Amino acid sequence: MAGENRDAASVGMSADEQARMVEEQMTDDERFSLLVSVMGVNDVVTVRDERIPEGVPMSAGYVPGAPRLGIPPLLMSDASLGVTNPGYRQGDTATALPSGIALGASFNPELARQSGGMVGREARSRGFNVQLAGGINLARDPRNGRNFEYLSEDPLLSAVLAAESINGIQAEGVISTIKHYSLNCNETNRHWLDAVIDPAAHRESDLLAFEIAIERAQPGSVMTGYNKINGDYAGGNSVLLQGVLKGAWGYPGWVMSDWGGTPGWEAALKGLDQESGLQLDIMMWQKEWFTAPLRQAYAEGNVPKERLSDMVRRILRSMFAIGVDRWGSAPEVDLAKHNEVALETARQGIVLLRNDGALPLATGTTARIAVIGGHAQIGVPTGCGSSAVLPPGGFAEVIKVGGPGIMGVGRNLYLLPSPPLAELRKLLPGAEIEFDPGMNPAESALMAARCDIAVVLAIKLDSEGFDDPDLSLPWGQDAVIEAVAAANPNTIVVLETGNPVVMPWRDRVRAIVEAWYPGQAGGQAIAEILTGAVNPSGRLPVTFPADLAQTPRPDLPGLGTPWGTPVTIEYAEGAEVGYRWFAQQHQQPLYAFGHGLSYTTFDYSNLHVEGGDTITATFTVTNTGQRVGADVPQFYLTSAAGEERLRLLGFQRVELQPGQSRQVTITADRRLLARFDGPDGITGSWRMAEGTYQVAVGKSAHDPVLTADMPMRGS
Ligand code: BGC
């Protein structure tokens, strides 16, 4: 039969037909064995789980295959920022990419594709055939501890980048998930969190991101979130799983729970196809659902045979469609090339927020430069949690941080071995560069005062399992920056954060750079941007608020309550996430979504728009400055049939020589011009009101340069 299965593929049987044919041959034992994954360790510490055969690498999830039928085992590994299995990684290293939010800031789908390909190749070379990647939750709250893993606050930008990253992974014959479906937008007490939202607004925001990404990439699996949505746990939410995902969108792949996020065997009747990491369900809920309880329910006639077959076929279908049953030899892994992908992502993701001419630092400078703080003599930080990747050569340092609850044990500040201090010394050989740890504002000020220029690196640790309490920099770093800026008028700040921060010192420093968590080559990228070896081109994928009072939830429900406290967060902003909210409230943020400076200048001209079913804009971008650079012109809807409504309709990254022009054409996805109309969020449709639609081409969500009106028919 193993041979028969391969023959089926070679005679052109579809993945669905193949799945049906193979599933029909299976015993019930084989069927049930596909529905549960086992973590590499059985006590979340070190002991190898005895259900995992010798020789199988430790990973986040193992599902035995059925060799007699040509079904290989599934080996699941985290995640989007590189191949990693924290807790079970046994020294295995992989290329550590910059954070997802840095990729978001590149606005570059091609780069997403390359980083996906890199992750896919490294996963496959280690034998992992499911990559738990594709994190796409919208950054609704600037305190969310996992925003660094995700891409942006905008559904289109997130969908386009996630789709390319998934396409890159799956092109290597590795299944990718997309996660965490849906509205897993805060970490505070995430297992007890009820995320409440208007269903139509959900369709126009987080669900639209999933919808577009799934259309563009057909990920083999969808991972649910830990939270409830409108009262029902994501893992057993029939409205979202049966109604929207499998019903309205016709999704053919399988739905897996998050680790410890299976709400009960009944979830199988509501759309969940596989329980993940069964040991974590036992730890969380003192119960595991998809082995004995599901079998018992089946034996008692409470789970129809058709549903069992459907669960199994969905898994098989993705395996056959993506080809994990047809692996030949492992692809070649060129770590030097992969380092280039990490470096290029960091370069394109770094955002120059403010510059009054202090940057770039002249490469021939003989100035005395104080480099202060951020552990810049050691490396660059990375976000913490299941996405943290152990880079080649290991971490430069692991500083234990800790915290309450079960996530506190693994809360560490990981430093990747790319120290900005050494990289700056390389690129500025004539400068006299000194280092101060930024431990004490007065001490830092002493060094800053005797130098010509001060570069402060400020870091903030974000982690899965924790939301930030506020938007300030931790460890007294705001005070350090204030003291340094008071001592030296040429102060430059480099932020290495996973989220927006407030900047009480903003007007007292000459330049601000947001480098996010820039990955294993991050120090080099920071030095290249500061010295102009690379012209900054990143654009903010999230709005930087002036303070929390500007955001939809100045007080975050549940923040600070003990682990296990039930929390309800009403996402009352609905679809008006991020920049959309700021436009609706007529608020001016600290830095707008889409904002990012360059060492050259760009001009837009000749906007021409065409209507019909949707709107297409054509315009010209010109590099009007003296340096080669890349721009990201953005196309927005600003009002629809008399209603003020801000929506990113499209974007394009354009690289231009000085004086060079390029014509850009962007066609809007009609769903971004429309509203979702329907009471239950499932049965409705996208409707456009008749009237004049106003659009703009701009440099950010709040900086339109060219505008046009377009009359549209209602539909
Ligand atoms: C995370 C997932 C991850 C899984 C497996 C969970 O804690 O939420 O994103 O894929 O662990 O490591």
Side-chain angles (χ1 to χ4, degrees), residues 39 59-61 76-79 84-86 88 132-133 146 149-150 177 179-180 184 187 190-191 223-224 226 256-260 276 280 385-387 407 464:
M39 282 157 58
S59 73
M76 302 174 171
S77 135
D78 280 301
T84 180
N85 284 295
Y88 356 98
L132 305 169
R146 288 188 94 171
E149 281 185 60
Y150 305 142
T177 61
K179 68 188 188 184
H180 308 86
N184 195 169
E187 287 295 290
R190 61 186 186 179
H191 294 273
M223 188 194 296
T224 57
Y226 282 126
M256 66 169 76
S257 68
D258 200 342
W259 274 237
S276 304
L280 272 190
S386 58
S387 68
M407 299 301 285
E464 181 175 342

Side-chain angles (χ1 to χ4, degrees), residues 416-439:
L416 300 175
S418 180
L421 177 63
E423 297 292 342
L424 268 174
R425 285 191 170 131
K426 266 190 230 164
L427 294 186
L428 300 175
E432 216 179 286
I433 301 184
E434 294 192 68
F435 178 72
D436 171 87
M439 197 172 55

